Amino acid sequence: MKAIFFKSSPSPTRMTPPASPLHLTFSESLMEENIEAAELIITKWDSSSDNHSSSSNASLFSDDNREEAKQYLSSVKGLQKAMQYLVSHQASSEKLVRAQALMQTAMKRLEKEFYQIFKSFRFYLDPESFSAHSSSSRPSASRSSFSDSEEDESENESRDENDSIPGAQRVSLAAVEDLRAIAEAMIKAGYAKECIKIYKIIRKSFVDEALHGLGVDRTLNLQKVQKMDWEVLEVKIRNWLHAVKVAVKTLFPGERILSDQVFSISPAMGESCFAEISKEGALALFEFPENVAKCKKTPEKMFRFLDLYEAVSNLWPEVESMFNSESTSTLQSTAVNSLIKLGDAVRTMLTSFETAIQKDPSKSTVPGGGIHPLTRYVMNYISFLADYTEVLSDIVADWPLTIPSPLPEPFFGSPDNEESISSPVSVRLAWLILLMLCKLDGKAAMYKDVSLSYLFLANNLQYVVGKVRQSNLKILLGDEWVTKHELKVKQYCSNYERMGWSKVLTSLPENPTAEIPVDQVKDHFRNFNLAFEETYTKQTSWVVPDPELRDDIKISLARRIVPIYKEFYETYGGMHLRKEMWVESLVRYTPDDLGNYWSDLLNGKGSSGSVSSSSSRGGRSR
């Protein structure tokens, strides 16, 4: 039989007045009544009794037996008072033995009811729905279904409030109230250990099952993570990102609320239960990102590492407030360690990415001066990094950039924008772009045709500017950076036009309307035809991928060449020369023909053959 311990009687050294005979008689009478009342209802619901009624197999806390449940808990309270009296005044009485036996029977019944409520209302006590009404619907003694008579008015008010609560929520609140009432009765009777044991077993099973359903693999240790193929681990990371949000936002808070409410009589017990229930699963959850951070680090893994860092960082306020006791402090430290390790990993990968740009081995040129693979890779990578500005700010805040000399001013934003200039993320990303542009300068020098090298630089810088404009890089680098690099693109285009079409321009006279000898006229037409056909044929395989830039170049070329050629054509290609036999062979192009040829220029499709020399009156052969 379980021994029941109560507070000790007053010390013998302390003088206390003797109780009056009338007081003893009254107390004995009340004690007898309490024991008799308790025996009546406890025996009725004793399923172990040989002569138990059918009610002993039913649920004491069902809606049908709500009034009896109230009486049962009241009788337990009365029995406890009777036992306290007997311990103080009749410690050797058989009545105490009888009362202790009744209390033990009552506690077994309450243990059974406690367990059964959890099982019966499993889905109503799901943290996902339960945490939604948290403190706003937090049960209190005044709202208990088993409140004393002096609290009946509050009970009526609570019933009126419950009428406006949705059905499922009302059921869960009622179940929690029943659990709280049972826990309070068992704890006061000295059966806290039994109550807590049942609670921990049931709720830990629920939490473990919920985490398993979220895809949390508690066997996934460091060794297993390190042996996984990256594609498999990436799937695990995506699952974890979803699981940790649900667990920290819903599952664990729900369990915390439930523990606090069921054990509202003893916050320390509620905290102990919550810690025991959540610690193992939460530890497995928070160790995962730290284990991932210890894997081999390559630049392509960067964004998943940033996702992990962002998730832990965003959830840190909840983690800090929820696991704030000594028993759960290891969960906080595990989450912090994950952030530290992930931050170290990101810095390592940024360094590797920078090194990869500097050591890019590609020595071949891109056909037609198009976009280099290095440009696409680096700018796509950096534009994605710009989406993690807040996370990167945390990671690189205390990690100064070491470069041979300060970044050139164009790689910052406006001088007035101090925030942009001082941003560690802005400086670091600007530095990575600068490294890439320096590599592109070296690749441009590999083209044998200087004009093509300028076209290559224009194409690639235009791609860089476009990526900056379309991403968060524009915010980080600023409008000044964009404007200056757009001007640089125009400068490259101008150099391409000047050097790529210089032969065509110099083939025409400086003053196309000036009177010159016929022989010189012939030479100018011959030289123009030869220069135009050579340049056109060569440049049909060149490419400008950006349609807007391509049109700008064509318009600029037309403005440079067509007006001069048109004046010369109209002056010396007119009727007075048509009588000569050589007119058809020398004057191959009208001014309008030049525009037709340029429509196919810089598309990267290649020449379909040399420019026809047999076209009539300068028209293109078709």
Side-chain angles (χ1 to χ4, degrees):
M1 180 179 297
K2 179 179 177 67
I4 307 295
F5 297 96
F6 300 98
K7 293 179 182 179
S8 59
S9 56
S11 172
T13 61
R14 181 178 177 182
M15 298 299 293
T16 57
S20 67
L22 179 61
H23 175 72
L24 287 176
T25 303
F26 173 78
S27 297
E28 288 178 2
S29 175
L30 185 60
M31 175 266 297
E32 286 284 357
E33 289 179 8
N34 285 351
I35 294 176
E36 292 295 335
E39 184 172 28
L40 184 64
I41 193 167
I42 290 172
T43 303
K44 177 182 178 181
W45 288 91
D46 179 14
S47 58
S48 64
S49 173
D50 293 333
N51 298 315
H52 64 271
S53 64
S54 59
S55 63
S56 61
N57 290 323
S59 173
L60 176 58
F61 288 82
S62 67
D63 290 339
D64 295 337
N65 299 311
R66 181 64 49 182
E67 194 60 34
E68 285 210 38
K70 184 177 181 179
Q71 293 174 10
Y72 196 96
L73 292 176
S74 179
S75 71
V76 169
K77 186 183 295 185
L79 182 62
Q80 187 178 0
K81 289 180 180 179
M83 293 173 68
Q84 289 171 336
Y85 174 85
L86 289 170
V87 168
S88 299
H89 299 91
Q90 301 177 31
S92 59
S93 172
E94 288 293 324
K95 294 177 183 179
L96 179 59
V97 176
R98 174 187 167 200
Q100 286 178 324
L102 284 173
M103 182 64 79
Q104 189 170 30
T105 301
M107 292 299 108
K108 287 181 179 179
R109 181 72 203 193
L110 290 179
E111 282 184 47
K112 178 181 177 181
E113 294 290 338
F114 197 69
Y115 177 85
Q116 192 58 44
I117 290 171
F118 272 118
K119 288 299 183 180
S120 300
F121 296 93
R122 172 183 174 84
F123 296 106
Y124 291 101
L125 297 174
D126 183 343
E128 185 170 355
S129 57
F130 180 69
S131 61
H133 46 84
S134 61
S135 59
S136 63
S137 302
R138 184 186 178 99
S140 61
S142 63
R143 292 191 177 189
S144 172
S145 300
F146 310 103
S147 54
D148 294 332
S149 58
E150 63 270 16
E151 295 172 337
D152 286 343
E153 185 176 348
S154 296
E155 183 180 348
N156 292 332
E157 292 176 2
S158 176
R159 189 178 299 111
D160 292 337
E161 292 176 14
N162 286 341
D163 291 339
S164 62
I165 300 175
Q169 185 176 333
R170 192 158 54 244
V171 171
S172 68
L173 287 173
V176 171
E177 266 306 307
D178 291 345
L179 293 169
R180 187 199 60 77
I182 294 172
E184 182 176 337
M186 293 184 70
I187 291 169
K188 286 182 175 179
Y191 281 73
K193 183 178 180 181
E194 288 77 2
C195 181
I196 289 173
K197 180 179 180 181
I198 296 173
Y199 186 90
K200 287 180 178 180
I201 291 173
I202 293 176
R203 296 315 297 177
K204 188 175 186 301
S205 173
F206 185 92
V207 169
D208 292 346
E209 185 180 330
L211 289 174
H212 179 75
L214 289 170
V216 179
D217 185 356
R218 291 163 57 183
T219 67
L220 199 59
N221 55 27
L222 176 60
Q223 290 72 28
K224 289 184 179 180
V225 169
Q226 290 180 326
K227 291 179 181 179
M228 275 187 179
D229 291 336
W230 173 245
E231 292 76 14
V232 177
L233 183 55
E234 197 170 15
V235 173
K236 295 283 187 182
I237 291 173
R238 285 198 294 268
N239 290 341
W240 183 90
L241 291 171
H242 169 71
V244 73
K245 187 178 294 185
V246 175
V248 174
K249 293 282 189 181
T250 303
L251 180 61
F252 294 135
E255 287 300 326
R256 181 64 182 261
I257 293 166
L258 186 60
S259 295
D260 288 347
Q261 293 188 0
V262 171
F263 296 101
S264 60
I265 190 177
S266 174
M269 288 184 184
E271 176 61 41
S272 172
C273 287
F274 172 69
E276 184 72 23
I277 289 164
S278 60
K279 190 172 182 179
E280 188 176 337
L283 194 62
L285 192 69
F286 295 138
E287 281 180 342
F288 176 76
E290 182 178 354
N291 290 338
V292 173
K294 295 176 181 178
C295 293
K296 184 179 180 181
K297 301 160 189 66
T298 54
E300 64 269 15
K301 298 177 181 178
M302 169 75 78
F303 302 103
R304 286 305 174 196
F305 279 58
L306 288 172
D307 287 336
L308 290 170
Y309 187 101
E310 185 176 47
V312 178
S313 179
N314 289 344
L315 294 170
W316 173 247
E318 287 88 348
V319 172
E320 186 178 29
S321 63
M322 189 161 37
F323 303 110
N324 57 0
S325 67
E326 184 177 351
S327 56
T328 56
S329 60
T330 54
L331 299 176
Q332 278 197 26
S333 61
T334 302
V336 170
N337 287 337
S338 290
L339 286 176
I340 293 172
K341 295 298 181 183
L342 287 167
D344 290 342
V346 168
R347 286 189 284 270
T348 298
M349 286 184 281
L350 279 172
T351 302
S352 299
F353 181 64
E354 179 179 331
T355 302
I357 296 174
Q358 293 174 322
K359 295 184 178 181
D360 178 65
S362 175
K363 294 183 178 181
S364 61
T365 57
V366 178
I371 311 300
H372 198 280
L374 178 66
T375 308
R376 294 185 187 277
Y377 174 69
V378 171
M379 288 311 301
N380 285 331
Y381 196 94
I382 293 177
S383 63
F384 279 129
L385 282 178
D387 293 336
Y388 294 89
T389 302
E390 187 174 347
V391 176
L392 285 172
S393 296
D394 290 340
I395 294 173
V396 304
D398 300 322
W399 187 43
L401 178 64
T402 304
I403 55 177
S405 60
L407 284 174
E409 190 269 336
F411 287 87
F412 292 102
S414 170
D416 297 331
N417 189 348
E418 296 181 1
E419 183 178 351
S420 176
I421 294 174
S422 62
S423 166
V425 177
S426 300
V427 173
R428 192 164 293 275
L429 297 187
W431 167 245
L432 293 173
I433 294 175
L434 175 59
L435 286 178
M436 181 199 64
L437 293 177
C438 291
K439 293 295 291 186
L440 292 177
D441 283 340
K443 296 178 189 301
M446 296 166 60
Y447 286 100
K448 295 180 181 180
D449 193 310
V450 178
S451 61
L452 180 56
S453 68
Y454 281 118
L455 189 66
F456 168 80
L457 290 173
N459 281 330
N460 283 267
L461 186 54
Q462 178 73 5
Y463 184 87
V464 171
V465 172
K467 279 292 182 182
V468 171
R469 276 192 171 280
Q470 298 162 12
S471 67
N472 287 331
L473 285 170
K474 187 175 186 296
I475 300 173
L476 292 170
L477 301 180
D479 292 333
E480 186 74 12
W481 188 99
V482 173
T483 300
K484 290 190 175 184
H485 284 78
E486 285 178 335
L487 291 174
K488 192 72 173 178
V489 172
K490 291 181 179 179
Q491 182 182 340
Y492 287 145
C493 290
S494 180
N495 290 343
Y496 150 74
E497 294 170 15
R498 178 173 53 82
M499 304 195 74
W501 292 85
S502 60
K503 287 185 179 181
V504 176
L505 285 167
T506 56
S507 68
L508 297 172
E510 291 184 10
N511 185 353
T513 60
E515 187 175 344
I516 57 177
V518 173
D519 288 344
Q520 288 186 25
V521 172
K522 293 178 182 179
D523 288 341
H524 280 302
F525 273 112
R526 286 194 192 98
N527 291 337
F528 179 84
N529 294 337
L530 182 63
F532 181 77
E533 290 165 8
E534 179 185 347
T535 302
Y536 172 82
T537 302
K538 178 173 60 176
Q539 293 194 19
T540 51
S541 62
W542 295 5
V543 61
V544 177
D546 186 283
E548 185 176 349
L549 181 62
R550 185 168 61 244
D551 289 343
D552 288 345
I553 292 175
K554 290 179 180 181
I555 292 171
S556 179
L557 282 173
R559 288 173 178 171
R560 279 174 179 258
I561 299 172
V562 172
I564 300 174
Y565 182 75
K566 184 178 181 181
E567 287 184 329
F568 184 63
Y569 174 85
E570 290 177 348
T571 302
Y572 294 102
M575 294 297 296
H576 67 284
L577 289 180
R578 293 175 188 271
K579 298 176 182 179
E580 301 292 336
M581 294 298 295
W582 46 262
V583 169
E584 291 293 335
S585 60
L586 287 180
V587 185
R588 299 179 184 176
Y589 309 102
T590 67
D592 290 339
D593 289 332
L594 299 183
N596 293 333
Y597 278 107
W598 273 322
S599 66
D600 292 336
L601 200 65
L602 303 179
N603 290 319
K605 298 178 180 178
S607 176
S608 58
S610 60
V611 181
S612 173
S613 61
S614 60
S615 57
S616 173
R617 292 191 54 79
R620 189 188 310 187
S621 171
R622 297 185 186 277

